[in-house]
Amino acid sequence: METPSSQSSFLSGPILSPLIRFALPLMLSLLLQAFYGGVDLAVVGKFSPTASVSAVATGSQVMQSITSIITGLTMGVTVLVGKAMGSREPQRAGQVVCSQIRLFTLVAAVLTGAMLLLAPQAARLMNVPEAAMSEAVAYIRICSAGIVFITAYNGISGIFRGVGNSRSPFLFVLIACLVNVVLDVLFVGVFRLHAAGAALATIIAQATSVAFSLAYIRRNPLPFSIPAPWRRGGRAAGEILKVGSPIALQDFLTNLSFLIITSIVNALGVIASAGVGIAEKLFIFLALVPMSFMSALSTFVAQNMGAGNPKRANRALFLAARISLCVGAVMFLLTFFCGRILASAFDNDPAVLDAAAGYLRGSSLEYLMVSVVFCFLGYFNGRERTSFVMAQGLAAAFLVRIPLSYFLSRLPDTSMFLIGLAVPASALVNLTLCLGYFLVLRRRDATSLKKALDNPIST
């Protein structure tokens, strides 16, 4: 549980050092998650044909959309458990977990059945090249069979975060990463199972992580008891849905926008498909710093706004944005000049490397803008302005990035560089909207402060 001293370091004294200390573990967790997602593509790219790379790149995006629904709902569990523990109501926390078990069991069953049945339709909607179609369907179906493990892992991690323990979820994902790497090399590199082998490695690694986490709970019990899930305690399911559904909707629609763009590019052939898939995987690694600051600022700003100290929250935003922008400048140079070298971590086909490098060069300016945008989003989350965060993200994706990607992909003699230009164009819209909304909030804050000074006595 967070200690009073750690809270006071957020509320007084230096800003940068506690902010960085808080962001570093988040960055490490994101790095592991990115590594976990990228290792399948990297191993398949080294030991399998290009069609397999396309199948894994597209299939993993489909599964990420399903996972986003689960992680969004998990946030509802984290918030409710944390609230119960903070108000010293451990019995209430147990009831929330009891409801979570019932709700997530139903969600896992529905999603598993739907994806096993609709895997071919999902692949066709993604315009998967014909050469990669059978492998993409197999990858989606095998991974869908492991949705129960995805649900269990996220549910357990959400509980631990709710009680103030972020180290245990990190350990769980570390176990999954290690198992996944070993099995990827075995199934893909030795047994040559291609995309299916990568999918098998993924679900076995997830199952191993869940088994480890359950054993961990037996040795380190939670600070509350959990009622029998099939007899009582289902009343909190509605609260979980109320808190988690908006986040799940936002994450799902954001992932859907990336699926649509992948579908647009897939129509250009297997080389373009694999190139964009690699570029999207690289984004997670290249944007680690701003993504970490986004999460850290959410907590830092929320505490300071609760303490009535918006100026300190604003200073934290500016400090994080400066650091993030410096890192973003480095990422811009890497993606513009060294895209082929970066892509070689995932594939060795010269045509695929050229496609990925062209797309990375076209989208390289994105890293300058999202380094600031992500800091703004963390700030807005901390101020509970999540409706704006959702609105600006969906507007930039569905009104700019998707239609512009489609338009550029249909130009005569188009190139991956041209298609990649849609990415910084949408990021510019994100940045403009965030700057505008920040100025609006500052004006509102100034107006509220003036009213408070003019009317110091409230009734």
Side-chain angles (χ1 to χ4, degrees):
M1 300 289 284
E2 193 174 59
T3 63
S5 60
S6 65
Q7 289 181 350
S8 63
S9 67
F10 273 10
L11 300 177
S12 63
I15 292 176
L16 191 58
S17 56
L19 189 62
I20 290 179
R21 284 199 304 269
F22 190 73
L24 282 175
L26 298 171
M27 192 183 307
L28 190 59
S29 296
L30 287 171
L31 180 62
L32 275 179
Q33 291 171 6
F35 181 74
Y36 186 92
V39 69
D40 285 353
L41 196 61
V43 174
V44 170
K46 294 296 183 183
F47 296 104
S48 301
T50 300
S52 299
V53 178
S54 176
V56 172
T58 304
S60 61
Q61 286 185 307
V62 172
M63 293 308 303
Q64 180 58 39
S65 295
I66 299 301
T67 302
S68 68
I69 298 174
I70 299 168
T71 55
L73 292 175
T74 300
M75 182 58 68
V77 176
T78 299
V79 170
L80 293 175
V81 170
K83 181 180 178 181
M85 297 302 294
S87 60
R88 300 182 183 276
E89 295 180 292
Q91 183 180 5
R92 176 60 180 162
Q95 291 173 350
V96 170
V97 175
C98 175
S99 296
Q100 175 201 21
I101 295 172
R102 298 172 61 138
L103 176 62
F104 278 31
T105 299
L106 177 62
V107 169
V110 171
L111 290 177
T112 299
M115 293 308 299
L116 288 175
L117 182 64
L118 301 176
Q121 288 81 354
R124 280 194 287 270
L125 284 173
M126 290 293 294
N127 284 329
V128 173
E130 194 59 38
M133 179 62 73
S134 61
E135 285 202 83
V137 172
Y139 183 92
I140 294 171
R141 278 185 167 153
I142 294 172
C143 288
S144 295
I147 286 177
V148 62
F149 303 125
I150 299 173
T151 307
Y153 163 75
N154 282 281
I156 294 170
S157 297
I159 296 168
F160 274 99
R161 286 191 293 267
V163 300
N165 181 347
S166 61
R167 291 172 295 179
S168 296
F170 168 76
L171 178 61
F172 303 155
V173 73
L174 176 62
I175 295 294
C177 281
L178 294 175
V179 174
N180 192 45
V181 170
V182 173
L183 293 183
D184 266 332
V185 173
L186 179 64
F187 292 159
V188 180
V190 178
F191 296 150
R192 301 290 179 177
L193 296 178
H194 305 316
L200 283 171
T202 296
I203 65 169
I204 294 174
Q206 290 166 345
T208 303
S209 177
V210 171
F212 177 85
S213 64
L214 292 174
Y216 183 90
I217 291 174
R218 289 182 65 88
R219 293 180 62 88
N220 304 272
L222 294 167
F224 50 80
S225 59
I226 303 173
W230 309 118
R231 295 183 180 178
R232 48 181 298 202
R235 293 171 297 173
E239 296 179 62
I240 294 173
L241 290 172
K242 182 179 179 181
V243 177
S245 292
I247 303 170
L249 178 63
Q250 175 188 348
D251 290 347
F252 176 75
L253 290 176
T254 300
N255 278 280
L256 180 62
S257 71
F258 285 104
L259 291 180
I260 294 172
I261 292 169
T262 302
S263 176
I264 292 170
V265 175
N266 280 349
L268 300 178
V270 68
I271 298 296
S273 170
V276 171
I278 289 173
E280 296 294 353
K281 289 290 186 185
L282 282 168
F283 174 83
I284 303 174
F285 292 96
L286 297 172
L288 274 175
V289 171
M291 289 170 68
S292 301
F293 273 126
M294 179 174 66
S295 297
L297 279 170
S298 296
T299 301
F300 193 97
V301 171
Q303 289 193 13
N304 279 277
M305 293 303 297
N309 197 351
K311 289 185 178 180
R312 184 174 172 84
N314 291 345
R315 287 199 297 270
L317 167 64
F318 296 141
L319 285 171
R322 288 174 192 170
I323 297 173
S324 187
L325 182 59
C326 291
V327 176
V330 175
M331 298 304 121
F332 161 71
L333 294 174
L334 283 175
T335 50
F336 190 87
F337 293 106
C338 306
R340 207 173 193 278
I341 296 174
L342 295 173
S344 65
F346 294 95
D347 208 320
N348 49 20
D349 186 321
V352 173
L353 296 181
D354 288 340
Y359 190 83
L360 286 169
R361 188 175 297 112
S363 62
S364 57
L365 281 171
E366 174 191 31
Y367 292 96
L368 290 174
M369 288 178 278
V370 299
S371 61
V372 178
V373 168
F374 281 2
C375 291
F376 271 121
L377 297 183
Y379 174 84
F380 295 140
N381 283 335
R383 294 197 58 165
E384 301 180 69
R385 307 289 178 167
T386 53
S387 295
F388 169 78
V389 171
M390 180 177 69
Q392 63 82 35
L394 297 181
F398 287 92
L399 299 181
V400 179
R401 185 170 182 176
I402 290 174
L404 189 55
S405 294
Y406 180 80
F407 171 76
L408 293 173
S409 71
R410 293 300 183 267
L411 289 177
D413 300 320
T414 191
S415 66
M416 298 302 290
F417 172 80
L418 279 177
I419 298 172
L421 292 176
V423 179
S426 65
L428 180 60
V429 173
N430 290 129
L431 182 59
T432 303
L433 291 173
C434 286
L435 284 170
Y437 193 62
F438 176 74
L439 294 176
V440 169
L441 289 181
R442 289 195 68 172
R443 190 177 298 113
R444 290 179 184 175
D445 291 341
T447 301
S448 299
L449 179 60
K450 185 176 184 300
K451 288 182 179 179
L453 293 175
D454 291 341
N455 303 280
I457 300 176
S458 61
T459 58

